[in-house]
């Protein structure tokens, strides 16, 4: 194992790399050049943001040639509202040759190095997908798949109903939702849907093995991994067809390894939101798995149908609120119409039956966004289902309705992105808890717009800008994906990562990212009032409102990168 030393930020931060491990020391001064630390595709627009100086050079890293590959003047963008920074944009799109480069400003400062190449996002997509394997609950993580991040089997005891402790159920399996050990239906449905659509639309991006227990069984590994979650979801349905809102303990566990958590887990009451998300994701999954395993596809479809039956029986909103004594995730929602819309769309695309078309038509009249892919607002999935359906099962009016919603929002996002000094499709008020999910869901919408239209380039470019932001072209100079980028964040709020005694977190985890009103004690203490939204971030393991990881923050990142990893892209 060799080591090398590199110096990147102003004069004072040194990085020593020992094989995989990197130790950073020295006084960290603020950077003033921000780039996508992972890299850029050869044909794409390539920019870096500078907050000092106007003139820049691009140089090849580790080459003896002192000659810059390019010199230029950065474009003055004025003050960026979300960061408060006065920024200049250095455009080096004309460099297309594979290699490792950095941008140097007139002050002599160098950016982090980045790569230009066709495959710059491949390992990123693989690690972000493999990350879900590390969330597997109810089984041991073995060294041959997990490397050093092993742990014995966790959470194997039966659960009981919250409302009646005498009812005992075996509900083992699934993925831990996040830095906590809970498992929740809406987040699960959404995460699986991001991944299944990514696979369905861009299958050629999923050829690589993830090295998981099922690898080599003839099924793409992304489907193998999702099946682990789906098998658990199949257990989360009650006799009437309703989906239990969540399976968690009463209180979040301390910072302990999963196998040491012996708390009783409870099945919390059915909600209409969870049941509609459940019907939708099960219907979608039944279509995707049909080609590989008809019996499994039938089980998924039966579960979807049963959940649909529940939705018909209970047409009114059935919400969920945490009981007072319970502090695990709530995932409450005040409106279930977007979830019902998504379910109608998936059932229609799966079966072609008229009754689902009627329900879809009815719900499309509601005042819904039709462009979101988060756990609260799933309406964008209805658009995704209908607009990418190769058998064109929805009627022309529904298609037009959804298509125009998608394109209107995509045009708005392109404009927001172009106005932002950092190229991100976010207004200052959009920096909520898990803002990176908003960034990535917007990236998904832009990808969908590119996928269904001729105005491809503008949408693609804006979608890529969201990845650039995530991977370091942002006002805090962090790559928000562990293990990817020279200055990737290091301290996710994730119990195993904090407790396993291993210095580096596993690679491929997307951080929740900046939150304009931090809600955890360390975040509140460290972030001064008045800090611009894009800078409300701390890389600290205690910051659950700024630096947690979740399955549904990784999954949209997989979707976006899979689009750019297509062979013909
Ligand atoms: O991602 C959720 C975010 O949108 C909410 O604002 C926040 C507070 O309700 O909860 C987040 O979800 C957390 C969940 O409740 C429990 N598991 C970890 C999730 C990420 O922080
Ligand atoms: Zn577990």
């Amino acid at each position: 194992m060799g080591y090398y030393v590199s110096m990147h930020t102003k004069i004072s931060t040194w990085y020593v790399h020992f094989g995989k491990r990197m130790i950073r020391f020295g006084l960290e001064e603020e950077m003033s050049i921000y780039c996508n630390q992972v890299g850029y595709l050869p044909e794409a627009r390539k920019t870096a943001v500078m907050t000092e100086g106007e003139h820049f050079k691009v140089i090849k890293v580790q080459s003896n040639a002192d000659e810059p590959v390019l010199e230029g003047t950065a474009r003055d963008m004025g003050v960026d509202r979300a960061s408060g920074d006065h920024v200049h944009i250095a455009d080096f799109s004309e460099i297309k040759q594979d290699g490792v480069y950095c941008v140097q400003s007139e002050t002599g400062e160098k950016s982090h190095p980045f790569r230009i190449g066709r495959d710059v996002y491949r390992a990123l997509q693989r690690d972000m997908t493999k990350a879900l394997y590390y969330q597997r609950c109810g089984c041991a993580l073995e060294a041959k798949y997990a490397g050093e991040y092993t742990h014995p089997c966790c959470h194997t005891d039966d659960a009981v109903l919250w409302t009646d402790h005498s009812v005992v159920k075996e509900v083992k399996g699934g993925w831990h939702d996040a830095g906590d050990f809970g498992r929740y239906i809406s987040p699960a449905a959404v995460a699986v849907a991001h991944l299944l659509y990514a696979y369905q639309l861009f299958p050629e991006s999923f050829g690589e093995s993830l090295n998981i227990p099922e690898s080599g069984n003839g099924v793409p590994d992304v489907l193998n991994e999702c099946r682990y979650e789906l098998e658990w979801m199949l257990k989360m349905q009650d006799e009437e067809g309703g989906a239990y809102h969540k399976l968690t303990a009463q209180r979040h566990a301390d910072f302990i390894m999963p196998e040491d958590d012996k708390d009783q887990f409870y099945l919390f009451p059915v909600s209409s939101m969870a049941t509609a998300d459940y019907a939708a994701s099960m219907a979608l999954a039944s279509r995707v798995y049909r080609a590989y395993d008809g019996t499994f596809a039938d089980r998924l479809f039966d579960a979807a149908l049963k959940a649909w039956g529940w939705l018909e029986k209970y047409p009114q909103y059935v919400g969920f609120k945490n009981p007072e004594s319970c502090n695990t995730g709530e995932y409450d929602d005040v409106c279930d119409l977007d979830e019902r819309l998504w379910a109608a769309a998936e059932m229609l695309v799966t079966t072609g039956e008229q009754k689902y078309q009627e329900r879809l038509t009815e719900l499309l009249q509601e005042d819904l966004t039709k462009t979101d892919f988060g756990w609260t607002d799933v309406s964008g999935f209805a658009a995704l289902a209908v607009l990418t359906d190769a058998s064109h099962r929805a009627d022309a009016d529904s298609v037009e309705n959804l298509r125009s919603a998608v394109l209107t929002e995509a045009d708005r996002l392109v404009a927001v992105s172009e106005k932002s000094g950092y190229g991100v499709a976010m207004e200052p008020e959009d920096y909520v808890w898990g803002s990176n999910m908003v960034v990535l869901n917007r990236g998904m919408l832009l990808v969908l717009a590119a996928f269904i239209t001729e105005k491809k380039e503008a949408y693609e470019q804006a979608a890529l800008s969201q990845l650039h932001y995530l991977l370091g072209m942002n006002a805090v100079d962090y790559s928000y994906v562990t293990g990817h980028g020279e200055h990737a964040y290091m301290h996710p709020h994730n119990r195993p990562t904090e407790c396993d005694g291993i210095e580096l977190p596993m690679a491929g985890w997307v951080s929740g990212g900046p939150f304009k009103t931090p809600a955890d004690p360390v975040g509140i203490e460290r972030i001064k009032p008045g800090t611009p939204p894009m800078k409300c971030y701390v890389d600290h393991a205690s910051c659950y409102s700024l630096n947690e990881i979740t399955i549904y923050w990784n999954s949209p990142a997989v979707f976006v990168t899979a689009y750019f990893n297509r062979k013909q892209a």
Side-chain angles (χ1 to χ4, degrees):
M1 190 199 294
Y3 76 92
Y4 64 95
V5 181
S6 54
M7 188 190 82
H8 295 289
T9 59
K10 281 188 186 167
I11 24 177
S12 44
T13 307
W14 293 77
Y15 299 86
V16 183
H17 308 251
F18 294 96
K20 250 178 78 178
R21 290 179 187 278
M22 175 183 79
I23 296 165
R24 197 182 314 152
F25 64 91
L27 271 176
E28 236 183 292
E29 270 186 50
E30 263 189 30
M31 255 299 209
S32 71
I33 312 178
Y34 309 93
C35 63
N36 178 334
Q37 298 166 24
V38 173
Y40 300 83
L41 297 170
E43 298 306 321
R45 188 171 78 145
K46 304 170 199 76
T47 56
V49 171
M50 308 203 311
T51 53
E52 275 172 29
E54 284 176 51
H55 302 288
F56 70 91
K57 308 183 213 183
V58 178
I59 49 180
K60 270 208 154 172
V61 173
Q62 283 168 354
S63 93
N64 295 324
D66 276 342
E67 279 300 290
V69 186
L70 181 86
E71 286 185 80
T73 306
R75 184 158 61 98
D76 188 351
M77 292 287 289
V79 174
D80 169 68
R81 286 201 307 142
S83 61
D85 291 340
H86 188 151
V87 310
H88 285 76
I89 296 189
D91 192 323
F92 48 96
S93 304
E94 61 189 78
I95 305 176
K96 297 183 187 325
Q97 205 194 16
D98 282 19
V100 182
Y101 302 82
C102 74
V103 176
Q104 184 171 18
S105 72
E106 63 192 63
T107 64
E109 189 191 335
K110 287 178 184 166
S111 73
H112 296 292
F114 53 82
R115 226 153 55 77
I116 291 178
R118 186 57 214 102
D119 63 348
V120 288
Y121 306 132
R122 291 224 170 251
L124 176 73
Q125 185 197 319
R126 185 202 58 218
D127 287 352
M128 292 191 306
T129 317
K130 171 78 181 256
L132 297 163
Y133 164 77
Y134 294 107
Q135 296 298 93
R136 287 192 186 194
C137 183
C139 69
L141 300 191
E142 294 173 45
K144 56 185 161 179
Y145 313 115
E148 54 187 335
Y149 304 107
T150 56
H151 71 72
C153 202
C154 59
H155 302 113
T156 48
D157 291 346
D158 290 343
V160 300
L161 291 193
W162 176 260
T163 49
D164 179 357
H165 294 187
S166 69
V167 182
V168 178
K169 290 199 182 228
E170 188 276 296
V171 276
K172 251 180 24 184
W175 299 319
H176 299 143
D177 177 56
D180 64 317
F181 302 134
R183 278 151 288 152
Y184 311 79
I185 284 300
S186 293
V190 163
V192 161
H194 291 141
L195 295 168
L196 295 185
Y197 273 116
Y199 170 72
Q200 183 169 284
L201 300 177
F202 325 123
E204 66 273 33
S205 301
F206 288 92
E208 214 177 320
S209 167
L210 295 179
N211 184 31
I212 54 177
E214 302 78 10
S215 293
N217 66 356
V219 179
D221 272 349
V222 64
L223 300 190
N224 283 326
E225 195 49 56
C226 285
R227 184 167 179 162
Y228 195 83
E229 183 77 337
L230 287 161
E231 292 282 5
W232 164 74
M233 289 174 76
L234 284 166
K235 302 178 185 177
M236 287 291 286
Q237 191 168 35
D238 78 358
E239 297 66 35
E240 270 190 316
Y244 297 110
H245 192 79
K246 64 172 182 172
L247 169 66
T248 71
Q250 185 171 352
R251 318 278 308 167
H252 281 308
D254 292 339
F255 266 63
I256 52 177
M257 286 300 281
E259 68 276 15
D260 295 329
D261 178 22
K262 301 294 179 200
D263 277 353
Q264 175 66 53
F265 270 55
Y266 300 95
L267 284 158
F268 286 79
V270 167
S271 69
S272 52
M273 172 202 185
T275 305
D277 286 339
Y278 187 94
S281 54
M282 289 292 166
L284 161 65
S286 76
R287 301 200 301 279
V288 176
Y289 287 87
R290 177 112 3 237
Y292 293 99
D293 184 341
T295 315
F296 183 51
D298 287 343
R299 283 170 62 212
L300 294 163
F301 182 70
D302 288 348
L305 204 58
K306 225 172 126 186
W308 182 268
W310 187 100
L311 295 171
E312 282 185 330
K313 187 169 168 194
Y314 300 97
Q316 304 304 328
Y317 165 79
V318 180
F320 175 79
K321 280 277 164 216
N322 259 348
E324 216 168 289
S325 60
C326 173
N327 79 346
T328 51
E330 191 164 50
Y331 292 113
D332 65 324
D333 193 355
V334 289
C335 166
D336 69 0
L337 294 176
D338 51 309
E339 285 81 11
R340 290 178 189 264
L341 175 78
W342 180 24
E346 295 292 357
M347 291 303 279
L348 172 62
V349 171
T350 309
T351 66
E353 282 176 32
Q354 186 56 24
K355 73 169 184 179
Y356 301 117
Q357 174 65 68
E358 282 162 19
R359 189 72 178 119
L360 182 72
T361 303
E362 211 171 81
L363 286 163
L364 283 176
Q365 304 319 309
E366 299 286 344
D367 182 21
L368 298 170
T369 64
K370 300 157 193 168
T371 52
D372 266 306
F373 305 99
W375 62 265
T376 6
D377 184 348
V378 296
S379 58
F381 288 107
L384 198 43
V386 165
L387 300 177
T388 65
D389 172 22
S391 16
H392 305 290
R393 286 183 147 150
D395 67 16
D397 285 352
S398 312
V399 171
E400 190 35 46
N401 183 315
L402 290 164
R403 188 180 162 90
S404 92
V406 166
L407 298 186
T408 306
E409 175 64 359
D411 290 338
R412 184 186 79 85
L413 294 178
V414 169
V416 176
S417 216
E418 280 171 2
K419 205 177 65 187
S420 156
Y422 286 87
V424 66
M426 298 279 280
E427 301 281 9
E429 59 274 20
D430 296 328
Y431 290 82
V432 296
W433 186 322
S435 62
N436 282 338
M437 177 188 87
V438 184
V439 172
L440 291 163
N441 288 355
R442 291 179 175 181
M444 278 187 68
L445 198 270
L446 289 160
V447 165
L448 175 59
F451 194 77
I452 62 172
T453 57
E454 294 307 309
K455 236 173 103 182
K456 241 183 153 134
E457 223 182 289
Y459 296 142
E460 272 186 358
Q461 193 170 296
L464 256 184
S465 293
Q466 311 315 303
L467 267 192
H468 296 335
Y469 167 89
L470 186 79
L471 299 169
M473 206 169 87
N474 56 56
V476 290
D477 186 42
Y478 275 106
S479 162
Y480 289 119
V481 183
T482 48
H484 291 268
E486 183 175 67
H487 190 219
Y489 82 107
M490 288 278 282
H491 306 288
H493 176 89
N494 185 23
R495 282 170 175 70
T497 302
E498 268 306 277
C499 304
D500 60 11
I502 303 167
E503 190 200 336
L504 282 186
M506 43 214 103
W509 277 117
V510 174
S511 160
F515 177 20
K516 61 184 187 313
T517 51
D520 57 78
V522 174
I524 292 170
E525 185 200 306
R526 300 266 180 108
I527 292 172
K528 293 193 202 77
T531 302
M534 202 195 285
K535 294 183 173 169
C536 291
Y537 174 73
V538 187
D539 180 17
H540 194 292
S542 300
C543 293
Y544 52 84
S545 75
L546 305 171
N547 212 29
E548 190 163 355
I549 53 110
T550 74
I551 56 174
Y552 55 92
W553 296 339
N554 261 50
S555 51
V558 172
F559 184 100
V560 175
T561 38
Y563 179 75
F564 292 106
N565 282 334
R566 291 168 309 149
K567 286 189 189 66
Q568 79 272 20

